[in-house]
Amino acid sequence: MKIGLVSYEFNNGKIEYNIKKIEKAIISANGKADLLCFGETFLQGFDSLSWNYEIDKNIAITKDSFIMDKLKNLSEKYNIDLGIGYIEREREQIFSSFVVIEKGKIIHNYRRITKNWKEYSITDEHYCEGEISETFIYKNREFKIALCGDLWICPEKFKTNGILLWPVYCNFSKDEWENTEQYDYAKQSKLASDNVLLVNSITKDEPISVGGAYYFKNGKIEKSLELDKEDILFVEI
């Protein structure tokens, strides 16, 4: 199985721009990956919400929305499976979620458990978290998903003998990543799985993110991307 971890730039609030970036990555990865994974909330951008529900309900999308159909159609058109972080709405609730699309169909949808994706001091009951990370099967392998701070707050909920996908949005500087954070994240990953795939997005908006992607094997860095450069890390597991 070949998985591509896409560290590309998103623009906050620019869904169509971000979809074009998704398609660009798909074209670039043609024949090189079974599954392409993007970072946390890549579809809308991590800082796309206003924390005013009447505005944000139109930024978040449902699983049966026209925009989600676009992502399914890309999966079918290019014969590649996708894992994408997005802001999800279900009825009057908003979540930070991650959808897995196989052959144009949703096979898994995870909702972040921890609350640091939002400005929780000013948000109301519309902004919600999930409760569990369920195992799902892809290409006959067990997978789980953790989003960003999940693996720091409650790593025990993500333990798996399979593969853990860890999409994040982190705005450490390049020096911080290279000198300390990448090793701390590698060590933390060992608490959940021996095979962890982390992907972070790039953004030039404040706070700036230099992106990056990592394959952590047994708590060590097995493979990684150059920071602050759009690229795809291909991992065969």
Side-chain angles (χ1 to χ4, degrees):
M1 182 198 319
K2 296 178 181 178
I3 300 175
L5 305 176
V6 182
S7 182
Y8 275 18
E9 181 184 355
F10 64 65
N11 275 357
N12 287 310
K14 302 294 180 61
I15 290 178
E16 290 302 323
Y17 173 90
N18 297 334
I19 289 177
K20 287 180 181 177
K21 282 300 185 82
I22 291 170
E23 186 168 18
K24 177 185 175 183
I26 289 171
I27 293 169
S28 178
N30 183 34
K32 300 176 185 176
D34 302 300
L35 173 68
L36 275 186
C37 292
F38 297 78
E40 182 181 19
T41 64
F42 186 90
L43 182 63
Q44 291 102 331
F46 189 81
D47 289 309
S48 60
L49 298 178
S50 68
W51 315 120
N52 178 333
Y53 177 71
E54 292 304 313
I55 296 172
D56 293 343
K57 68 181 181 181
N58 298 313
I59 296 172
I61 67 165
T62 63
K63 293 193 294 291
D64 60 356
S65 64
F66 173 72
I67 292 172
M68 187 63 75
D69 284 344
K70 280 191 173 185
L71 301 178
K72 294 176 184 178
N73 290 338
L74 286 175
S75 170
E76 284 192 300
K77 176 182 177 180
Y78 291 100
N79 191 30
I80 194 166
D81 303 325
L82 301 171
I84 301 171
Y86 74 112
I87 303 296
E88 178 191 1
R89 178 170 56 83
E90 184 176 66
R91 298 183 181 88
E92 294 188 351
Q93 295 180 315
I94 293 178
F95 302 87
S96 175
S97 300
F98 192 85
V99 66
V100 181
I101 299 170
E102 182 180 16
K103 293 180 171 60
K105 296 182 179 179
I106 294 175
I107 63 166
H108 191 71
N109 190 72
Y110 169 72
R111 292 167 174 170
R112 180 170 170 169
I113 291 174
T114 52
K115 65 182 182 179
N116 287 342
W117 67 277
K118 65 187 183 185
E119 296 289 345
Y120 56 84
S121 64
I122 60 173
T123 50
D124 59 21
E125 71 281 358
H126 292 103
Y127 301 83
C128 303
E129 286 74 48
E131 296 180 355
I132 58 173
S133 179
E134 295 179 328
T135 297
F136 67 100
I137 305 299
Y138 175 74
K139 302 288 187 187
N140 298 314
R141 296 288 298 273
E142 289 188 4
F143 279 77
K144 277 193 171 186
I145 297 170
L147 282 174
C148 208
D150 285 344
L151 208 58
W152 291 98
I153 303 300
C154 45
E156 69 282 355
K157 292 188 177 183
F158 302 93
K159 285 188 176 181
T160 176
N161 292 322
I163 299 165
L164 181 71
L165 300 178
W166 194 6
V168 303
Y169 173 72
C170 298
N171 50 26
F172 300 112
S173 69
K174 187 175 181 180
D175 285 345
E176 287 171 328
W177 268 120
E178 291 176 339
N179 294 330
T180 58
E181 296 301 333
Q182 62 180 346
Y183 304 109
D184 290 344
Y185 273 73
K187 183 178 178 181
Q188 189 70 11
S189 75
K190 176 67 174 170
L191 299 178
S193 174
D194 291 339
N195 291 284
V196 178
L197 302 174
L198 181 147
V199 57
N200 189 26
S201 303
I202 296 171
T203 179
K204 304 303 182 183
D205 297 333
E206 292 289 346
I208 292 169
S209 169
V210 297
Y214 294 86
Y215 172 29
F216 299 136
K217 186 172 179 63
N218 298 315
K220 305 292 184 182
I221 300 171
E222 183 77 5
K223 292 182 74 174
S224 64
L225 284 182
E226 180 181 345
L227 296 170
D228 206 19
K229 177 184 177 182
E230 285 197 337
D231 204 352
I232 304 173
L233 180 68
F234 294 101
V235 179
E236 187 167 3
I237 300 181

